[in-house]
Amino acid sequence: MKCTATIDTRDVEELYINIDPIQAGGRLTVDAQKAAIAYSDGYSVCDNCLKPFRLDYINKPPIAEFHRDCAEWLNMDAVRLVPGARRGFQAVASSIVEKGDPVLLTALSHYTEFVSLEQAGADIHEIPKDEHNHITADNAAARIEEVTREAGKAPSILFVEHVDYQYGNVHEIAEIAKVAHQYDIPVLLNGAYSVGIMPVDGKALGVDFVIGSGHKSMAAPAPSGLVATTSEYADIVFRTTQSVGDITGRTFGIKEVEMMGCTLMGVTVVGLMASFPAVKERVLHWDREVENSNRVVDALCAIEGTQVESDMPREHTLTRINTMDSFDTVAKTHKKKGFFLSQSLKKKGIIGVIPGSTRVWKFNTYGLNEAQISHVCRAFQEIARENDLTVL
Amino acid sequence: MKCTATIDTRDVEELYINIDPIQAGGRLTVDAQKAAIAYSDGYSVCDNCLKPFRLDYINKPPIAEFHRDCAEWLNMDAVRLVPGARRGFQAVASSIVEKGDPVLLTALSHYTEFVSLEQAGADIHEIPKDEHNHITADNAAARIEEVTREAGKAPSILFVEHVDYQYGNVHEIAEIAKVAHQYDIPVLLNGAYSVGIMPVDGKALGVDFVIGSGHKSMAAPAPSGLVATTSEYADIVFRTTQSVGDITGRTFGIKEVEMMGCTLMGVTVVGLMASFPAVKERVLHWDREVENSNRVVDALCAIEGTQVESDMPREHTLTRINTMDSFDTVAKTHKKKGFFLSQSLKKKGIIGVIPGSTRVWKFNTYGLNEAQISHVCRAFQEIARENDLTVL
């Protein structure tokens, strides 16, 4: 019985202010917590599954309605749920990319974009970032030309991050999509750090696919996420099975090949749905979140030697910071080495900085309230002063 | 805010005896319920994710240990978690099957087996069932010969159900695997209706892959499941990414292509783990479950005209029953038509028979206690008598 015995109750969110770079947008709302308790059993949303027997047709709980609302909210034509953004990349790659096809992603792409394309057998190329750590339409255009010349055909898809995981920079998606479309290349938006925390309008961005992450940015349990697309591509990515049993003659209705039929049958879909009203509301207050992000960044920059590697002023709550000339100088002589920073923060009730990191690290202020933001600002500066760093 | 407002609290398991064919093995244990509450946040198991940054290496909670225990329990060499059994089929199909390859599954295969193979571009063939609704080694052998002759090469994989979803019959897996191996065809066991409720020994069965479903039979939240394999195939299905960013030179460590890196990052993995001790224990009492299944089937068979389409005596808790000459004769004149049966059952505190079904339908007695079994037996016979059917 040892496995159960050693699962400690998790109390990170109850006891600490959590600035972990990947966890901020996935904290459940209270409504989602309640729904998670009621729907934790395996096939809990299947009680009222009627013909044609597919998750997105279930009306009780209102999963069908949620799919429609979600598509409208993203200003896209159709939405399906998937077990994480990565499974959305996979569905699109598997539908659009033939083995050996050249494809483009970026110098800031997440590893899950690579593996989804690798799985599809793609010939993967990056679009370089510019000196400001941005993916630009100019670089995209140049790279499309280059790759097309080398491969003898145009890339079959272009994956781009709305907000990248390394710097938390917001990229010029509309411009990149416009360029890609001039070459008839469909564009997939990796919205793992945008869908659910900041406004996303798929049509305005001009992309063909919007991928969101439930557990990263939509206050939902893991694994959850979504693929949204246009009517042009819905029939391709959400194509239904054509299988026929060669002996039985069986066919399988409207089950979708890339979704593999139903996707999120319990706590994951209900968690997403229960948080959705709050998520729709919170993206309208993104300006406040960005302001909070800038307050913390400013407080850190006041510690002499500290540099922000992300865009300034911040346009997102995820930030990459360089403290090699501030906290890392302390680490060199501190008896706890680099661990002094995470440990000092923890003593002040703050968690989420990788233990040992004092050089280049990331944090995310998403969802913290004014008082928590003030506390985080103060805590960083107090730790600096306690360790004889100059706070300007 | 309408979505939240209309998610009713689910109370099926609290208020009723549930004999739904697919839900029985996915009811959470109390330990899993508790764990689900503590770990419902998105990336809740990632607090202590250290190098090499992969789910199955996390020690706190003890996810790494769980992977080892689970492989040992199934008598296989390696286990990975996936978002549902279907994602296990997908990982294996994507690794083993080349486009155009002939493959075999069976006349009793689940649609998710078809779609996973369809997605891989396979040329899919069924092994027929015999007159007892069994998949036999003889039929497998004949079909291997036939398909090989037609396709010009041997099937690249054979998918077979340990227990099929249509009849709940237990098939002669060891014999089928032996035959397939004579032709060097690897065998995937669909254990959605076995792993977690009855003993499964992968080596004794002689299969190359064991696929389990967390939400169907391991008392876990959805979507969850596992792929277990041998050391021979682990390097193929769990191969790590070979991607290199052509501009950045980035590589992505030991992320596995088919797993897409991490799979179940929160409530799903913790739910599986928390239920695991109880699951290991419960499979040891499978004989009691089968006995209970037979009690209900016997009670139904005592209603004149009722026929069991599954094997008799039952060797599983999932049963397909034909009541065309019993309950369906009532439906023909009842003012509620076929709905009288599900409604009468509901009045007696029993749920899970598809509303309207009185012809051929399925139920699952898994996990009910003695008193509940007695009540179900009595309820069916009472409903029969109330509607002037003869109970022998």
Side-chain angles (χ1 to χ4, degrees):
Chain A
M1 300 283 166
K2 58 187 171 172
C3 278
T4 296
T6 49
I7 301 176
D8 295 329
T9 298
R10 181 174 189 256
D11 50 16
V12 167
E13 302 293 349
E14 289 80 0
L15 301 183
Y16 299 96
I17 295 171
N18 186 1
I19 58 171
D20 183 288
I22 67 169
Q23 294 181 337
R27 274 188 287 260
L28 261 57
T29 58
V30 173
D31 282 336
Q33 284 273 6
K34 286 183 197 166
I37 294 170
Y39 285 86
S40 53
D41 285 341
Y43 281 109
S44 53
V45 299
C46 308
D47 295 331
N48 300 290
C49 181
L50 307 172
K51 274 188 182 169
F53 303 117
R54 206 173 72 193
L55 185 75
D56 54 313
Y57 280 77
I58 293 174
N59 284 314
K60 188 174 182 299
I63 299 174
E65 185 187 358
F66 172 67
H67 277 76
R68 290 190 296 270
D69 288 352
C70 203
E72 190 187 333
W73 173 64
L74 291 168
N75 199 13
M76 296 292 280
D77 300 324
V79 159
R80 295 292 185 278
L81 305 181
V82 282
R86 61 195 74 196
R87 297 289 178 177
F89 305 149
Q90 181 186 36
V92 174
S94 171
S95 303
I96 303 281
V97 179
E98 293 291 324
K99 203 167 175 174
D101 275 3
V103 298
L104 281 173
L105 39 62
T106 86
L108 298 174
S109 283
H110 192 252
Y111 81 84
T112 52
E113 297 178 46
F114 272 91
V115 295
S116 68
L117 291 165
E118 180 177 350
Q119 197 182 115
D123 170 26
I124 307 173
H125 300 277
E126 293 174 312
I127 301 167
K129 59 188 174 75
D130 70 6
E131 68 275 26
H132 305 294
N133 299 313
H134 274 251
I135 306 302
T136 64
D138 283 351
N139 278 343
R143 204 63 180 127
I144 289 170
E145 293 276 0
E146 214 168 75
V147 168
T148 304
R149 210 164 41 237
E150 284 168 17
K153 58 179 170 177
S156 54
I157 197 158
L158 187 157
F159 279 20
V160 64
E161 304 68 48
H162 197 177
V163 176
D164 70 87
Y165 78 101
Q166 293 192 40
Y167 297 93
N169 288 346
V170 183
H171 301 280
E172 52 179 46
I173 303 302
E175 292 78 2
I176 293 167
K178 199 173 163 194
V179 160
H181 287 163
Q182 284 166 0
Y183 296 85
D184 287 329
I185 302 168
V187 175
L188 175 146
L189 181 79
N190 175 355
Y193 279 105
S194 61
V195 173
I197 58 172
M198 56 186 267
V200 175
D201 181 329
K203 293 275 163 69
L205 293 170
V207 297
D208 304 281
F209 305 98
V210 173
I211 309 289
S213 170
H215 52 266
K216 189 163 261 152
S217 297
M218 297 181 76
S224 61
L226 61 82
V227 184
T229 189
T230 60
S231 47
E232 183 183 354
Y233 285 100
D235 290 345
I236 297 170
V237 175
F238 305 147
R239 70 192 179 282
T240 54
T241 175
Q242 300 301 309
S243 285
V244 181
D246 65 344
I247 286 186
T248 59
R250 287 185 294 163
T251 56
F252 304 94
I254 59 161
K255 304 291 189 182
E256 293 167 343
V257 177
E258 296 299 336
M259 300 300 112
M260 313 202 76
C262 304
T263 52
L264 309 181
M265 305 81 149
V267 62
T268 38
V269 59
V270 173
L272 262 176
M273 287 166 59
S275 281
F276 188 52
V279 161
K280 281 199 289 190
E281 176 63 22
R282 77 188 194 179
V283 302
L284 304 176
H285 305 289
W286 178 238
D287 54 341
R288 194 174 62 203
E289 297 289 342
V290 170
E291 197 181 305
N292 284 343
S293 174
N294 276 296
R295 280 184 58 200
V296 174
V297 167
D298 290 345
L300 275 160
C301 285
I303 301 167
E304 204 170 35
T306 298
Q307 290 184 317
V308 179
E309 298 199 347
S310 307
D311 281 344
M312 279 298 282
R314 298 297 308 121
E315 295 179 343
H316 197 273
T317 57
L318 173 68
T319 298
R320 178 171 165 131
I321 196 118
N322 181 327
T323 52
M324 289 172 73
D325 293 331
S326 55
F327 290 125
D328 196 53
T329 63
V330 177
K332 286 193 168 62
T333 57
H334 201 288
K335 66 175 189 286
K336 292 181 178 167
K337 298 185 181 159
F339 293 90
F340 90 93
L341 180 59
S342 57
Q343 287 180 14
S344 301
L345 284 166
K346 194 169 180 183
K347 273 186 203 152
K348 293 177 189 293
I350 299 165
I351 207 160
V353 173
I354 294 182
S357 292
T358 48
R359 297 168 69 82
V360 178
W361 47 281
K362 297 188 289 185
F363 66 94
N364 196 336
T365 58
Y366 190 76
L368 303 187
N369 63 30
E370 300 290 312
Q372 290 170 321
I373 290 290
S374 298
H375 180 76
V376 171
C377 292
R378 199 164 48 234
F380 276 123
Q381 297 196 345
E382 280 173 7
I383 294 167
R385 285 196 195 90
E386 287 161 12
N387 290 284
D388 302 321
L389 295 175
T390 305
V391 179
L392 304 171
Chain B
M1 299 284 166
K2 59 188 170 172
C3 276
T4 296
T6 50
I7 300 176
D8 294 328
T9 298
R10 182 175 189 257
D11 49 17
V12 167
E13 301 293 349
E14 289 80 359
L15 301 183
Y16 299 97
I17 295 171
N18 185 2
I19 58 171
D20 184 286
I22 67 169
Q23 294 181 337
R27 275 187 286 260
L28 261 57
T29 58
V30 174
D31 282 335
Q33 284 274 6
K34 287 183 196 166
I37 294 169
Y39 285 85
S40 53
D41 285 339
Y43 281 109
S44 53
V45 299
C46 308
D47 295 331
N48 300 290
C49 181
L50 307 172
K51 275 189 183 167
F53 303 116
R54 206 174 72 193
L55 184 75
D56 55 312
Y57 280 78
I58 292 174
N59 284 315
K60 189 175 183 299
I63 299 174
E65 185 187 358
F66 172 66
H67 278 75
R68 290 189 296 270
D69 289 351
C70 203
E72 190 187 334
W73 172 65
L74 291 167
N75 199 13
M76 296 292 280
D77 300 323
V79 159
R80 295 291 186 278
L81 305 181
V82 282
R86 61 195 73 196
R87 297 289 178 177
F89 305 149
Q90 181 185 36
V92 174
S94 171
S95 303
I96 302 282
V97 179
E98 292 291 324
K99 204 168 176 174
D101 276 3
V103 297
L104 281 173
L105 39 62
T106 87
L108 299 173
S109 283
H110 192 252
Y111 81 83
T112 53
E113 297 177 47
F114 272 90
V115 295
S116 68
L117 292 165
E118 181 178 351
Q119 196 182 115
D123 171 26
I124 307 173
H125 300 277
E126 292 175 312
I127 300 167
K129 59 189 174 74
D130 70 5
E131 68 275 25
H132 306 294
N133 299 313
H134 274 251
I135 306 301
T136 65
D138 283 351
N139 277 345
R143 204 64 179 126
I144 289 170
E145 293 277 359
E146 213 168 75
V147 168
T148 304
R149 209 164 43 237
E150 285 168 18
K153 58 179 172 177
S156 55
I157 197 159
L158 187 155
F159 279 19
V160 64
E161 304 69 47
H162 197 178
V163 176
D164 70 88
Y165 77 102
Q166 293 192 41
Y167 297 93
N169 289 346
V170 183
H171 300 280
E172 52 180 47
I173 303 302
E175 293 77 3
I176 293 166
K178 199 173 164 193
V179 160
H181 287 163
Q182 283 166 0
Y183 296 85
D184 287 329
I185 302 169
V187 175
L188 175 146
L189 181 78
N190 175 354
Y193 280 105
S194 62
V195 174
I197 59 173
M198 56 186 267
V200 175
D201 180 328
K203 293 275 163 68
L205 293 171
V207 297
D208 304 281
F209 305 98
V210 174
I211 308 290
S213 170
H215 52 266
K216 189 162 261 152
S217 297
M218 298 181 75
S224 61
L226 60 82
V227 184
T229 189
T230 59
S231 47
E232 183 183 354
Y233 286 100
D235 290 344
I236 297 171
V237 176
F238 306 147
R239 71 193 178 282
T240 54
T241 175
Q242 300 301 308
S243 286
V244 182
D246 66 343
I247 286 186
T248 60
R250 287 184 294 163
T251 56
F252 304 94
I254 58 162
K255 304 292 189 183
E256 293 167 342
V257 176
E258 296 298 337
M259 299 300 111
M260 312 203 75
C262 304
T263 52
L264 309 181
M265 306 80 149
V267 62
T268 39
V269 59
V270 173
L272 262 176
M273 288 166 57
S275 281
F276 189 52
V279 161
K280 281 199 289 190
E281 176 62 23
R282 77 189 194 178
V283 302
L284 304 176
H285 304 290
W286 178 238
D287 54 341
R288 194 174 60 202
E289 297 290 341
V290 170
E291 197 180 306
N292 284 344
S293 174
N294 276 297
R295 280 183 59 202
V296 174
V297 167
D298 289 345
L300 276 160
C301 285
I303 300 167
E304 204 171 35
T306 299
Q307 289 185 316
V308 179
E309 298 198 347
S310 308
D311 281 344
M312 279 297 283
R314 299 297 307 121
E315 294 180 343
H316 197 272
T317 57
L318 172 69
T319 297
R320 177 172 165 129
I321 197 118
N322 181 327
T323 53
M324 289 173 73
D325 293 330
S326 55
F327 290 124
D328 196 52
T329 64
V330 177
K332 287 194 167 62
T333 57
H334 201 288
K335 65 175 190 286
K336 292 182 176 164
K337 297 185 182 160
F339 292 91
F340 90 93
L341 181 59
S342 57
Q343 288 180 14
S344 301
L345 285 167
K346 195 169 181 184
K347 273 186 202 151
K348 293 176 189 293
I350 299 164
I351 207 161
V353 173
I354 295 182
S357 292
T358 48
R359 298 167 69 82
V360 178
W361 47 282
K362 297 188 288 186
F363 66 94
N364 196 335
T365 58
Y366 190 77
L368 304 188
N369 63 31
E370 299 290 313
Q372 290 170 322
I373 291 290
S374 299
H375 180 76
V376 171
C377 292
R378 201 163 48 233
F380 276 122
Q381 298 197 344
E382 281 173 7
I383 294 166
R385 284 196 196 90
E386 287 160 13
N387 290 284
D388 303 321
L389 295 175
T390 305
V391 179
L392 304 171

